[in-house]
Amino acid sequence: MFTGSAEMAGMTDPDRIWTEAAGRLRSEIGEGPFSSYIAPSAVRADGSGQLILVTPTAYARDWVRKNALRRMNELWLGLDGLSRRLDVRCRAEMGSTPSASQVAAGRAEGAAVIPLQPVAMPMATVPPVADGARAVRAAGLQDRLTFDSFVEGQGNAFALAIARQAAAWADGHFNPIFFCGPYGYGKTHLLNAIAWEAQRLRPDARVVYLTAERFLSTFVRAAQDRTMAAFKDSLRSADMLLIDDVQFVGGKAGTQEELLSTLTALIEDGKKIIISADRPPMALTEVEPRLRSHLASGLTCPVEPADRALKLAVARNRIQALANLGVVSGEAQAEVLEHLVDRTPGSMRELEGAVNTLAAVAGARLSSLSVDETQALLGSALRGGPERRITVDEIQKTVADHFSLKQADLLSERRTRAVARPRQIAMWLCKQHTTRSYPDIGRRFGGRDHTTVLHGVRKIEELMGLDDQIARDVETLTRKLRG
């Protein structure tokens, strides 16, 4: 029983009752939970006169019911001379909020309708995507990143097939789906394409797409604005949640905890989760182990670096798209595109940037340009060539130095663990950071066949999820290679 001040005891004004009760409740449960779940709510009466605490979301309602309702009623009954009790419902269950005149009339008749305090009901921090293309664009997706504009190749065929399956709302056995691979080779494109297609097929579904950066900033803003309950509900009510570049949540404990809770809730409800990162889940050594484990619990789909054939196809596809927009006319000569690809050994994004630059400079002259004219027109806009490319030789030297070996050891026939494991790590890094095929990598490692390389790559992928030391070694080597 609450023992409030003497002048408050036995009163019937709900405003005064709540002021006293809420103040005590705030001190008991703490500022964080109170601001997230109680402060954004309001007390009102239903048609039968029952007093209801109306929360902004169903998630907040469930939290209050589980964690605070009993104590709220103890406080309320200790103050209310009419011995009324509180129930809790979410705003969707109560219908529209009463007007000011209704509030005034309610007070005149014994406070039938009572505003809790002058705190506005917060809207969802992350806008739900439930009304087609307009809502999807509002969520930060890019119009041009669809399945129609995605160019399939040997390195991304499996990831593309899984992406199409996810977008079709197929009943798969894997959740979450985790796309991983080097920067700039199509992961963001796939996530955008999934969101567009999923929304087209189910216009009423809530498809929520976020970059990790936006997840972080929205989480911080929700904490500052005391709208955390609305933020949580906006994510956990999604039918499909897509988060891009999840590696950027690493090192941020509060955000990782919230992401872990969100993933757990969605998986338990059978909702679809699509994630991307620049490395496999267990190689994200800066991410908290429990979150890493959840990320790795579904299906990991590698998006491998593009080979030369795929890059040429991407360049042609981009030229065609620009031609459809009237930016250029005609097609570039094959040797011009080959020159462009060979002089842009980085990611697909860099290649598209080079094509855009060529199109902007050439315009209607595109089809007549020679290789020499292209080089003269673009000059320093093209990268200087292979000096910035990560090579097999560079990887071998870096790995050998890291493990205190000689480069020749990695190419030798020695099979002791002290040599074999670094050799497998070097092979894995070659597959991740170069465009070399399995047979080509094998030839560069002492003439080994492609099955040996494939086994080594898969072994390292397996061990990164089981052996923290190997995961740390891979992370360190990756950082060294990236400079």
Side-chain angles (χ1 to χ4, degrees):
M1 188 70 72
F2 174 67
T3 55
S5 57
E7 64 270 22
M8 301 289 284
M11 61 188 175
T12 59
D13 179 0
D15 269 340
R16 296 178 64 197
I17 296 173
W18 183 249
T19 298
E20 180 76 5
R24 179 60 63 89
L25 188 64
R26 183 195 297 266
S27 66
E28 290 182 3
I29 69 174
E31 182 63 37
F34 184 90
S35 298
S36 296
Y37 302 106
I38 308 298
S41 305
V43 176
R44 54 183 286 195
D46 63 13
S48 64
Q50 168 70 51
L51 293 180
I52 308 293
L53 179 69
V54 183
T55 64
T57 66
Y59 181 79
R61 174 204 62 199
D62 294 343
W63 187 93
V64 170
R65 185 171 288 157
K66 179 180 179 181
N67 299 284
L69 184 59
R70 183 180 63 82
R71 181 55 178 157
M72 285 168 57
N73 270 301
E74 289 177 356
L75 295 170
W76 190 279
L77 290 170
L79 292 163
D80 185 8
L82 299 180
S83 300
R84 293 167 292 189
R85 297 185 65 88
L86 283 175
D87 195 4
V88 58
R89 300 177 200 168
C90 66
R91 185 169 50 182
E93 294 173 316
M94 294 295 291
S96 60
T97 303
S99 66
S101 60
Q102 289 174 310
V103 172
R107 283 179 177 164
E109 296 172 4
V113 182
I114 314 105
L116 169 62
Q117 51 180 311
V119 177
M121 292 286 190
M123 298 301 291
T125 307
V126 183
V129 181
D131 57 353
R134 181 178 179 183
V136 174
R137 277 191 290 273
L141 297 173
Q142 300 179 55
D143 288 355
R144 71 183 186 89
L145 300 183
T146 65
F147 284 126
D148 289 340
S149 61
F150 191 87
V151 181
E152 182 177 357
Q154 182 177 355
N156 62 30
F158 174 64
L160 177 59
I162 294 299
R164 289 187 182 279
Q165 178 180 322
W169 300 95
D171 291 330
H173 300 288
F174 308 109
N175 201 25
I177 295 173
F178 192 102
F179 295 101
C180 61
Y183 171 83
Y185 284 98
K187 302 186 301 296
T188 295
H189 195 145
L190 285 175
L191 263 65
N192 275 251
I194 291 170
W196 283 116
E197 182 68 3
Q199 194 69 72
R200 184 187 70 82
L201 294 175
R202 285 182 53 184
D204 296 330
R206 291 172 57 86
V207 178
V208 178
Y209 168 88
L210 291 167
T211 62
E213 181 182 6
R214 187 177 176 200
F215 181 90
L216 285 166
S217 63
T218 307
F219 175 82
V220 171
R221 187 166 62 251
Q224 293 172 341
D225 296 345
R226 299 180 178 180
T227 56
M228 190 59 72
F231 170 70
K232 293 173 184 284
D233 192 62
S234 66
L235 295 179
R236 299 178 193 192
S237 60
D239 296 299
M240 177 183 289
L241 175 64
L242 305 99
I243 300 181
D244 200 8
D245 286 327
V246 77
Q247 71 270 8
F248 291 121
V249 305
K252 302 168 180 67
T255 310
Q256 290 187 65
E257 187 66 31
E258 177 54 37
L259 179 57
L260 176 60
S261 297
T262 296
L263 297 184
T264 301
L266 289 176
I267 289 172
E268 288 176 352
D269 289 343
K271 304 302 177 61
K272 293 188 177 294
I273 302 168
I274 319 291
I275 306 286
S276 80
D278 62 353
R279 282 155 284 156
M282 298 311 291
L284 299 174
T285 53
E286 66 273 38
V287 172
E288 192 266 337
R290 288 187 304 149
L291 178 55
R292 257 189 289 161
S293 178
H294 271 69
L295 295 174
S297 64
L299 174 65
T300 299
C301 297
V303 182
E304 298 181 354
D307 57 19
R308 191 167 185 266
L310 179 55
K311 286 190 171 185
L312 285 169
V314 168
R316 293 191 191 96
N317 187 69
R318 184 60 183 158
I319 288 287
Q320 184 59 55
L322 293 170
N324 293 339
L325 294 172
V327 177
V328 295
S329 58
E331 298 180 358
Q333 297 181 40
E335 55 268 27
V336 167
L337 288 184
E338 289 172 0
H339 176 75
L340 201 65
V341 166
D342 291 340
R343 297 280 288 183
T344 314
S347 69
M348 294 295 205
R349 288 196 182 100
E350 293 176 27
L351 176 59
E352 287 197 349
V355 173
N356 292 340
T357 303
L358 176 64
V361 172
R365 298 176 51 207
L366 178 66
S367 60
S368 63
L369 282 183
S370 67
V371 170
D372 290 341
E373 288 174 316
T374 299
Q375 180 62 38
L377 283 173
L378 296 184
S380 61
L382 290 179
R383 291 176 60 173
E387 67 272 13
R388 290 187 63 188
R389 188 198 305 256
I390 297 175
T391 65
V392 172
D393 183 67
E394 180 185 358
I395 290 171
Q396 290 174 344
K397 289 177 179 177
T398 302
V399 171
D401 181 67
H402 179 79
F403 288 102
S404 300
L405 299 171
K406 296 178 181 179
Q407 185 176 357
D409 292 331
L410 302 180
L411 279 59
S412 71
E413 294 297 322
R414 293 175 58 189
R415 297 183 181 181
T416 61
R417 181 175 295 248
V419 174
R421 194 69 77 221
R423 181 187 295 130
Q424 291 174 332
I425 290 175
M427 291 175 174
W428 184 89
L429 290 167
C430 287
K431 194 57 186 170
Q432 290 294 311
H433 299 289
T434 77
T435 59
R436 302 284 184 178
S437 64
Y438 286 116
D440 195 12
I441 293 172
R443 284 191 291 271
R444 300 295 299 274
F445 279 81
R448 289 171 166 80
D449 61 36
H450 76 280
T451 57
T452 301
V453 179
L454 179 60
H455 169 75
V457 169
R458 289 179 175 173
K459 185 65 176 179
I460 295 306
E461 288 178 349
E462 174 189 347
L463 288 175
M464 282 193 296
L466 302 172
D467 190 320
D468 287 343
Q469 183 58 54
I470 286 183
R472 286 193 294 270
D473 287 334
V474 169
E475 171 67 12
T476 300
L477 288 163
T478 298
R479 292 184 186 279
K480 288 181 179 179
L481 290 169
R482 290 174 176 172

